[in-house]
Amino acid sequence: RQRHAGRGHADLLPGRAVSQREQLLKVIEQDVHDDLTGFAWLHGCMSRLQMALMARERNAITTANEQISALMDAAGARARRRSRVLEVFHLGTDTHAMQSLIDLYPPDRRATLVRAWKTLIVSVERCRDLNERNGKLLAMHSEIFQQLARHDSAQVYSPSL
């Protein structure tokens, strides 16, 4: 009995600690897979938004924005869950934290997760680029509308000669 004095709770229940660890690792794998799917959908929605913006189709813009919001909410929830798992494993939050988490996986699962994570990073960057282009389109629309409003109000309120 005294041999166990001072030992941590995890040492007394190794099966439980491994089980929780394995559950968290599975959650991360599933979340990365779900993010890959989600960001593929997001890219499609952002592409449709871009076309709708260029065509000035208000209903299509509204629909695309609603879909984008839902996808971003889900991606945000998964990112928050990843952050919590990083905290549980005491891996920090810097740019190397996710790689440290991936290093906890057995080699066969690690290789698959590394590929998926790298693909996800590329997908996120593609969506970010498309979002910036859409933002520029919106800014151009806004500028045009502001110019039209100024031009119209000048004609409405200026005396005619």
Side-chain angles (χ1 to χ4, degrees):
R1 268 196 142 115
Q2 290 202 334
R3 285 186 310 165
H4 297 295
R7 292 179 104 185
H9 184 70
D11 291 339
L12 295 174
L13 300 170
R16 183 174 177 167
V18 171
S19 173
Q20 181 183 12
R21 173 187 162 122
E22 184 58 30
Q23 285 177 337
L24 291 172
L25 293 176
K26 283 182 180 180
V27 165
I28 293 299
E29 284 174 305
Q30 185 62 52
D31 279 356
V32 169
H33 172 74
D34 291 348
D35 271 343
L36 284 170
T37 303
F39 276 92
W41 278 99
L42 183 62
H43 190 270
C45 288
M46 289 180 152
S47 295
R48 285 190 296 282
L49 176 60
Q50 185 178 44
M51 289 186 276
L53 286 167
M54 290 189 295
R56 296 185 193 108
E57 295 176 3
R58 194 178 86 191
N59 291 339
I61 291 169
T62 300
T63 300
N65 277 328
E66 289 169 353
Q67 293 169 343
I68 289 167
S69 291
L71 289 166
M72 288 305 300
D73 288 347
R78 289 188 294 271
R80 286 187 298 279
R81 188 166 37 242
R82 262 193 304 278
S83 292
R84 286 192 303 271
V85 170
L86 290 169
E87 288 174 13
V88 166
F89 286 117
H90 306 289
L91 296 174
T93 56
D94 64 6
T95 56
H96 303 290
M98 189 62 186
Q99 184 57 52
S100 297
L101 179 61
I102 291 171
D103 289 342
L104 297 176
Y105 285 82
D108 57 328
R109 289 167 61 195
R110 184 182 316 140
T112 301
L113 190 57
V114 165
R115 282 190 302 276
W117 185 251
K118 287 180 180 179
T119 302
L120 179 58
I121 289 170
V122 170
S123 295
V124 169
E125 289 170 354
R126 287 178 57 216
C127 286
R128 187 177 298 137
D129 291 345
L130 192 49
N131 189 52
E132 286 179 24
R133 285 194 296 271
N134 287 349
K136 289 176 184 175
L137 272 174
L138 283 170
M140 285 179 10
H141 283 183
S142 177
E143 186 177 318
I144 290 168
F145 289 134
Q146 287 175 2
Q147 288 175 0
L148 288 173
R150 276 182 278 188
H151 187 285
D152 285 345
S153 63
Q155 286 182 346
V156 171
Y157 295 109
S158 65
S160 57
L161 298 175

